[in-house]
Amino acid sequence: MTAPRPHTLFSFGTLMDGQVQAALFGRAVPTSAASLTGYATRPLTITDPAVIATSGLDVHLTLRRAYGSVVEGAVLRLTDEELAAADAYEVDDYARRRVRLTSGETAWAYLDAEPLRAAARIVIVGDSIAYGRCDPSGGWAGRLAAEHIAADEEGNRVFNLAIPGSTLLDVRDQTPGVLAPRLPDTLLVAAGINDSALPVGAPAGDDALARVPDHLAALAATALGHDARLVVVGPAWLDEERTGDYYGLRFTEERALALRACVRSWCARNHVDFLDLWEPLRKRADLLVDGLHPDAAGHQELHRHLTSFAR
């Protein structure tokens, strides 16, 4: 019987320590030198007594995006059980995500659990809500851009490439051609409400939602190919009593919730960041222009919610 292929994990801190490996894995694991381009480190204070006891340190390192920088470390080759032990060791400030090493090899790495806090160059793709329709200030994306760039005028960038009317299929097909010149470290995909819509008169059993995981998988591959972290922003609440037959489409809360559940589940299974936009506008019909698009105050609520993931 063929032995299972080991998991590759890039470490830049205490997991390279022999004492930590002995405590977590019961052995010194196979290791080779590696580096990660486009990142730098910053200190992270640890308060978990068990983690401090294992590493002997109350300050660990975490990663932040920094164009042109390189973090030196090592690739650890772990079994399923050892990877689970590493997950248990890392505190909630970290999230295990896929990265592409300087060598071109892909590996797991423990990144900042709040993806927008770690980001520098963000590309946003999505639909009319991500575009900022019905808000002269550019919607939640415009507000995010203003705040993000103000935090570091020299290093931070936001490129909002959302197109009104887009579905995830459109985004999947359009995104590969627009990333390279913008050098993104974060690809923020707004999984908008259009993916839940049914043409008026179409049967309820339409399988459009069944294709959403394939679209997300393609976008994940595109992001990884550009050394970018995929962040999926989920749909916002809609007021189906007011949307009516919207340009020949029917939007319902049931279908929107099904899209939300589908995206959330896919992200959890694939260790991809999911930022949920449902709750800020739920039952807040007064913040929706037409039952679907937030007004300026609605976008402000969405922005306030999103930036809570960057603190």
Side-chain angles (χ1 to χ4, degrees):
M1 183 183 223
T2 304
R5 187 175 181 180
H7 299 280
T8 54
L9 173 69
F10 176 74
S11 175
F12 50 92
T14 59
L15 285 175
M16 295 189 293
D17 184 87
Q19 177 181 318
V20 172
Q21 291 184 10
L24 294 180
F25 314 132
R27 65 169 185 143
V29 299
T31 302
S32 57
S35 63
L36 188 59
T37 302
Y39 288 83
T41 61
R42 66 174 178 83
L44 175 68
T45 300
I46 303 298
T47 58
D48 188 318
V51 175
I52 295 172
T54 300
S55 68
L57 300 170
D58 61 2
V59 176
H60 290 193
L61 296 176
T62 190
L63 293 170
R64 61 180 178 84
R65 295 308 300 244
Y67 180 68
S69 296
V70 178
V71 173
E72 300 293 339
V75 166
L76 283 57
R77 291 171 174 80
L78 307 177
T79 65
D80 291 346
E81 293 76 14
E82 289 166 345
L83 184 62
D87 285 347
Y89 167 73
E90 299 294 350
V91 296
D92 290 343
D93 297 272
Y94 294 98
R96 175 159 55 86
R97 301 290 182 255
R98 298 297 295 184
V99 296
R100 190 173 70 169
L101 304 175
T102 307
S103 65
E105 177 186 13
T106 62
W108 293 114
Y110 292 106
L111 308 182
D112 193 317
E114 296 186 1
L116 300 184
R117 180 172 60 189
R121 300 177 66 89
I122 303 171
V123 166
I124 300 172
V125 291
D127 60 8
S128 58
I129 298 177
Y131 172 81
R133 184 178 169 188
C134 302
D135 180 9
S137 297
W140 62 258
R143 289 170 166 79
L144 174 66
E147 186 174 276
H148 185 67
I149 293 170
D152 183 353
E153 175 64 38
E154 183 175 350
N156 287 356
R157 296 290 183 271
V158 176
F159 305 94
N160 188 358
L161 307 182
I163 300 174
S166 294
T167 64
L168 279 174
L169 172 61
D170 300 322
V171 170
R172 183 201 73 182
D173 291 344
Q174 295 160 357
T175 298
V178 300
L179 293 187
R182 293 168 175 88
L183 301 172
D185 57 58
T186 304
L187 175 60
L188 196 158
V189 175
I193 210 67
N194 292 330
D195 292 274
S196 73
L198 280 173
V200 174
D206 176 82
D207 66 351
L209 291 178
R211 296 189 291 272
V212 165
D214 292 337
H215 302 329
L216 292 173
L219 285 161
T222 295
L224 189 58
H226 287 268
D227 300 325
R229 179 175 181 173
L230 178 62
V231 180
V232 183
V233 177
W237 179 79
L238 61 86
D239 180 10
E240 67 177 271
E241 293 184 3
R242 293 175 60 204
T243 58
D245 295 342
Y246 192 89
Y247 291 94
L249 297 174
R250 166 59 66 179
F251 294 89
T252 68
E253 185 171 332
E254 180 182 11
R255 290 274 297 181
L257 283 170
L259 171 64
R260 179 186 182 219
C262 176
V263 172
R264 184 200 296 274
S265 175
W266 183 89
C267 288
R269 290 195 311 273
N270 292 278
H271 294 268
V272 168
D273 298 283
F274 174 67
L275 306 184
D276 192 6
L277 286 189
W278 189 263
E279 287 301 319
L281 301 185
R282 187 169 68 90
K283 305 303 182 185
R284 296 294 307 276
D286 58 304
L287 298 180
L288 300 175
V289 172
D290 50 14
L292 196 62
H293 294 93
D295 61 12
H299 276 287
Q300 188 169 355
E301 286 299 314
L302 294 178
H303 169 251
R304 183 179 294 115
H305 180 71
L306 274 174
T307 52
S308 71
F309 295 101
R311 300 188 180 114

